[in-house]
């Protein structure tokens, strides 16, 4: 009995080390880039959106807002107060919808993490998150042209935590907070990935997420809701699942529904949308993710 337990621990340690070797440097580079953007470029990114408000860009403003949302390093709870300040400075709701939707789904740090999944998965993630933001903005523009979509009552722009006068210390402190926020989830993702590789047969993963691609997309949409906790923590899982036969379309669905329905993000979104528009948000996310997954499986 003890021998069997020891053997299993050795197997799990091996899987953990293999996974860690494959993905560790992506995690490190992602944190360094995320902290650098947060400390040195965040204000420039947000000021760029503010400056666009004075221009008559129309639909093109939605496209620009979606790009800036992806470039923004803030989490959802940081994005909403910023969006509130944008709204007070005159930025349109359709632009804000594009900015917030793409910001929920992707940021520079997560882009680097996702590079560990391969070029195709990275390209699908970036493009789908961008299009999701653009479409969200277009829908708000069409159906809420004469009405307010957001309610930012009570939200003030957050005070920056990156205030140390020494620029190197400012960066290192931000990096320390980044490690603290993502490290545990990253290690948990490595452990879960090792458990899946050791105890879940590859044939089962293939049948669930790869064999019947339409069914696999639905399954990915379903598990994306409860399983997603942190972007960095899910990359090891996705890497293992893709190796075990998960289709790229199913992975794309998971990468959209996961962050969009993350419990902390849902709580923040519901505050500014109210019940009715919050339900519209959920319906939009699920519909877009399923359409994306089926399209990816059809063409790639």
């Amino acid at each position: 009995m003890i021998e069997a337990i020891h053997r299993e621990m050795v197997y799990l340690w091996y899987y953990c080390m293999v996974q860690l070797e494959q993905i560790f440097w992506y995690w490190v580079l992602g944190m360094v880039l995320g902290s650098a953007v947060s400390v040195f470029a965040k204000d420039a990114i947000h000021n760029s959106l503010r400056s666009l408000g004075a221009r008559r860009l129309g639909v093109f403003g939605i496209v620009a807002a979606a790009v800036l949302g992806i470039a923004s390093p803030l989490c959802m709870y940081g994005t909403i107060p910023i969006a509130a300040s944008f709204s007070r400075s005159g930025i349109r709701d359709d632009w804000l919808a594009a900015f917030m939707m793409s910001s929920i789904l992707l940021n520079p740090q997560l882009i680097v993490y996702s590079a560990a999944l391969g070029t195709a998965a990275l390209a699908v993630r970036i493009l789908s998150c961008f299009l999701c933001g653009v479409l969200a903005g277009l829908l708000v523009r069409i159906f809420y042209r004469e009405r307010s979509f957001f309610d930012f009552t009570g939200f003030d722009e957050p005070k920056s935590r990156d205030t140390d006068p020494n620029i190197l210390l400012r960066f290192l402190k931000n990096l320390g907070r980044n490690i603290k926020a993502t490290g545990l989830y990253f290690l948990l993702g490595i452990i879960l990935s090792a458990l899946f590789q050791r105890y879940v047969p590859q044939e089962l993963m293939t049948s669930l997420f790869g064999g019947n691609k339409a069914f696999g997309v639905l399954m990915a949409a379903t598990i994306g809701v409860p399983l997603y906790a942190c972007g960095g923590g899910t990359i090891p899982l996705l890497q293992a699942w893709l190796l075990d036969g998960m289709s790229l379309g199913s992975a794309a669905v998971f990468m959209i529904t996961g962050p969009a329905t993350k419990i902390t993000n849902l709580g923040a979104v519901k505050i500014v949308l109210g019940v009715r528009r919050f339900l519209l948000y959920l319906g939009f996310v699920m519909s877009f993710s399923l359409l994306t997954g089926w399209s990816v499986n059809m063409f790639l």
Side-chain angles (χ1 to χ4, degrees):
M1 181 67 176
I2 295 177
E3 223 176 275
I5 294 174
H6 181 263
R7 184 171 61 251
E8 290 303 311
M9 293 299 292
V10 170
Y11 277 123
L12 290 175
W13 177 258
Y14 169 76
Y15 283 121
C16 284
M17 288 300 99
V18 170
Q19 189 75 35
L20 192 62
E21 183 179 347
Q22 292 174 340
I23 205 170
F24 177 75
W25 291 111
Y26 289 101
W27 177 61
V28 171
L29 182 59
M31 286 192 303
V32 171
L33 176 62
S35 291
V37 171
S38 184
V39 171
F40 304 118
K42 179 177 63 180
D43 290 341
I45 292 168
H46 296 160
N47 288 334
S48 295
L49 184 57
R50 285 193 179 93
S51 68
L52 291 177
R55 305 178 186 179
R56 296 183 178 181
L57 297 178
V59 174
F60 293 105
I62 294 175
V63 174
V67 172
L68 291 172
I70 291 174
S72 175
L74 295 178
C75 66
M76 188 75 267
Y77 270 102
T79 298
I80 287 179
I82 287 291
S85 73
F86 290 161
S87 180
R88 284 192 288 270
S89 64
I91 302 296
R92 303 163 48 104
D93 276 6
D94 52 347
W95 294 17
L96 291 178
F99 176 82
M100 293 175 66
M101 187 75 250
S102 59
S103 181
I104 289 175
L105 296 177
L106 200 56
N107 57 54
Q109 189 165 322
L110 193 51
I111 289 175
V112 176
Y113 291 164
S114 301
L117 302 176
T119 305
L122 175 62
V124 166
R125 182 162 214 171
I126 294 173
L127 182 60
S128 63
C129 293
F130 167 72
L131 292 177
C132 190
V134 170
L135 183 56
L138 288 174
L139 291 174
V140 170
R141 182 182 180 89
I142 293 169
F143 294 104
Y144 283 83
R145 181 180 292 272
E146 305 298 331
R147 295 175 289 165
S148 295
F149 187 73
F150 299 104
D151 180 10
F152 293 114
T153 304
F155 283 96
D156 295 316
E157 187 168 351
K159 294 181 180 179
S160 176
R161 300 172 67 183
D162 300 312
T163 56
D164 196 294
N166 185 307
I167 194 168
L168 178 59
L169 287 177
R170 193 188 316 163
F171 170 74
L172 291 176
K173 287 180 180 179
N174 187 286
L175 183 60
R177 292 194 297 270
N178 208 342
I179 294 172
K180 184 178 179 181
T182 65
L184 181 61
Y185 290 111
F186 175 75
L187 292 176
L188 181 60
I190 293 289
I191 293 170
L192 288 175
S193 174
L195 289 171
F196 267 96
Q197 290 181 72
R198 176 61 181 161
Y199 298 115
V200 178
Q202 182 176 346
E203 295 77 14
L204 177 60
M205 294 298 297
T206 302
S207 64
L208 287 177
F209 297 114
N212 184 328
K213 292 187 176 181
F215 177 73
V217 166
L218 289 172
M219 284 294 297
T222 302
I223 67 169
V225 177
L227 272 187
Y228 196 96
C230 169
T234 55
I235 296 300
L237 280 173
L238 278 171
Q239 188 182 58
W241 290 345
L242 285 167
L243 288 174
D244 284 344
M246 177 184 243
S247 69
L248 189 55
S250 296
V253 171
F254 186 86
M255 290 187 287
I256 294 171
T257 59
T261 60
K262 181 182 174 182
I263 189 66
T264 52
N265 286 347
L266 288 182
V269 170
K270 185 176 181 298
I271 291 173
V272 299
L273 293 185
V275 175
R276 183 173 177 275
R277 292 188 295 272
F278 177 69
L279 294 175
L280 290 175
Y281 164 81
L282 291 178
F284 167 73
V285 167
M286 297 305 292
S287 300
F288 180 85
S289 64
L290 291 173
L291 180 60
T292 298
W294 289 328
S295 300
V296 170
N297 281 341
M298 186 180 300
F299 296 108
L300 294 181

